[in-house]
Amino acid sequence: MSRRELREQIFKFIFRVEFNERDEMPEQEDFFFEAQEPEPDEKDVRYISQKGNSILERLDEIDEMINKKAKGWTTGRMGKVDLAILRLAVYEIMFDEDVPTGVAINEAVEIAKKFGQEESSGFVNGILAKFV
């Protein structure tokens, strides 16, 4: 898979946390990979799992960062798609040294265009710009 495809898979995985208890996420991870067509190779599964779980481990910290930067918004009021995109991007900006900040923001905006509502890309870009 390309980096963009991997990032989209991580987004889809962490999106599930909004609809499941955190202690159910290991089981949800199994369901997630079972449903993949075509089945990802083992290297991609490891990458998605590792990065997705790293984000979930820091979820409270990431949400706190988002809440501080998002004036007039809280993570509780945000659309679930936008929130999952922001969580992934904030993790990449703040904790993933392998991803340049500009790449994290651009990729988040592209995911928002693909999976979000019409105004999602601007919303995501506006909040992430405050992290620069």
Side-chain angles (χ1 to χ4, degrees):
M1 277 186 213
S2 70
R3 285 281 195 170
R4 177 167 287 171
E5 291 169 324
L6 288 168
R7 193 173 274 110
E8 286 181 6
Q9 294 302 315
I10 295 164
F11 152 74
K12 291 175 184 178
F13 172 63
I14 63 173
F15 179 75
R16 289 175 175 238
V17 78
E18 289 302 312
F19 304 99
N20 299 280
E21 298 296 323
R22 288 190 191 175
D23 61 345
E24 295 173 348
M25 289 308 291
E27 183 178 12
Q28 287 299 314
E29 181 177 359
D30 292 340
F31 293 147
F32 177 77
F33 287 115
E34 287 171 9
Q36 295 297 310
E37 295 274 336
E39 188 175 324
D41 66 33
E42 203 165 311
K43 179 183 164 197
D44 292 342
V45 168
R46 272 194 315 273
Y47 182 83
I48 294 164
S49 178
Q50 180 182 1
K51 193 163 186 176
N53 284 302
S54 293
I55 294 167
L56 295 177
E57 288 170 11
R58 293 181 176 262
L59 206 55
D60 293 332
E61 184 179 4
I62 292 168
D63 285 356
E64 186 177 321
M65 291 177 187
I66 294 169
N67 285 328
K68 285 181 180 176
K69 300 287 186 183
K71 301 293 182 214
W73 287 91
T74 63
T75 53
R77 287 188 54 223
M78 292 178 188
K80 304 306 181 201
V81 170
D82 296 347
L83 180 56
I85 295 167
L86 287 169
R87 286 170 168 166
L88 171 57
V90 169
Y91 174 83
E92 289 184 333
I93 291 167
M94 303 304 293
F95 304 109
D96 192 337
E97 295 177 6
D98 294 335
V99 179
T101 298
V103 170
I105 293 172
N106 289 339
E107 291 294 319
V109 169
E110 291 304 314
I111 292 171
K113 288 177 183 176
K114 184 172 182 177
F115 295 100
Q117 298 177 4
E118 188 175 322
E119 63 279 347
S120 291
S121 60
F123 178 75
V124 166
N125 190 48
I127 291 176
L128 293 177
K130 295 177 183 181
F131 283 88
V132 179

